[in-house]
Amino acid sequence: MARIGAPPETHYTLPPDFAAALGQCVANLGWLEEIIKRAIYALERARLADDLTEEELQSWLTRMGAIADDSMGTLIEQLDAAMRRYPGLRDRNRITDRLYEIRQHRNLLCHASWRPTEDKLRWHPAFVNTRGEVQRQPLGVPDLNAISEATVEMGVRVMRVMRATGVPGYWAGDDEA
């Protein structure tokens, strides 16, 4: 079988503008995950009874702490379930559907190996998703900027959900400032 392109052990250094845009995308995706966790906390906290025993409260806090290690897909499922249980929230399906779309970008951007293309402004992410689909489209800085912008917009929408509860979305490290 003939090899097309460079061998897989060839390392490529991304151009600074592309690397910066990719890094910002990844940072925005991390921020979105934190916002989802905060929203889950707020939605679940708003539903708790005021007369919980210390043991019940600790059990709930332990469960909330466990979401720290959850994958983005699991976080989206938990957020969807929490939004479903909270009365009066609109756009739950649109938020959930859009988060799943963004999750696909997250998996691609965080796990791809990058290869140059004939177009010096675009790079090919060598990536196969869990369904066996190969990423065929190369990406450029404008694509990464669009993904970044969409990610931040979704984070703001999820933050609005969190704020609708009236409960601050606490998260690990908040008390260390």
Side-chain angles (χ1 to χ4, degrees):
M1 178 183 242
R3 180 183 317 277
I4 298 174
E9 58 273 3
T10 303
H11 175 268
Y12 299 100
T13 299
L14 297 171
D17 61 334
F18 188 90
L22 179 59
Q24 188 60 59
C25 269
V26 171
N28 290 347
L29 289 160
W31 173 78
L32 175 61
E33 285 189 28
E34 178 185 347
I35 294 303
I36 292 170
K37 292 172 187 177
R38 288 174 180 271
I40 292 167
Y41 177 95
L43 288 161
E44 295 293 340
R45 179 66 184 100
R47 293 182 50 246
L48 288 181
D50 291 333
D51 62 349
L52 291 178
T53 66
E54 184 62 30
E55 184 177 308
E56 290 170 325
L57 181 61
Q58 286 308 311
S59 174
W60 179 80
L61 287 171
T62 299
R63 190 169 63 82
M64 287 296 100
I67 69 173
D69 295 332
D70 283 344
S71 68
M72 191 166 189
T74 302
L75 291 173
I76 295 167
E77 290 169 7
Q78 289 184 33
L79 177 64
D80 183 65
M83 287 190 298
R84 187 173 307 198
R85 290 187 297 266
Y86 194 86
L89 291 179
R90 291 176 275 145
D91 294 334
R92 180 186 55 80
N93 288 335
R94 275 188 276 195
I95 289 171
T96 300
D97 291 346
R98 189 68 182 114
L99 286 172
Y100 277 119
E101 290 171 15
I102 289 172
R103 176 181 168 236
Q104 298 306 313
H105 293 302
R106 179 212 173 275
N107 291 345
L108 169 71
L109 298 175
C110 292
H111 299 289
S113 170
W114 296 90
R115 311 254 171 87
T117 65
E118 289 182 17
D119 178 349
K120 300 290 183 214
L121 298 177
R122 300 174 68 74
W123 283 72
H124 181 262
F127 181 76
V128 179
N129 68 22
T130 56
R131 294 183 302 272
E133 299 165 339
V134 175
Q135 172 67 26
R136 303 225 181 265
Q137 271 314 104
L139 299 174
V141 171
D143 303 309
L144 296 173
N145 289 341
I147 293 168
S148 259
E149 185 177 312
T151 301
V152 171
E153 285 174 11
M154 275 313 301
V156 169
R157 285 182 75 183
V158 172
M159 215 178 326
R160 279 192 227 122
V161 168
M162 178 188 75
R163 289 189 175 137
T165 68
V167 175
Y170 175 81
W171 197 243
D174 281 352
D175 52 357
E176 295 176 10

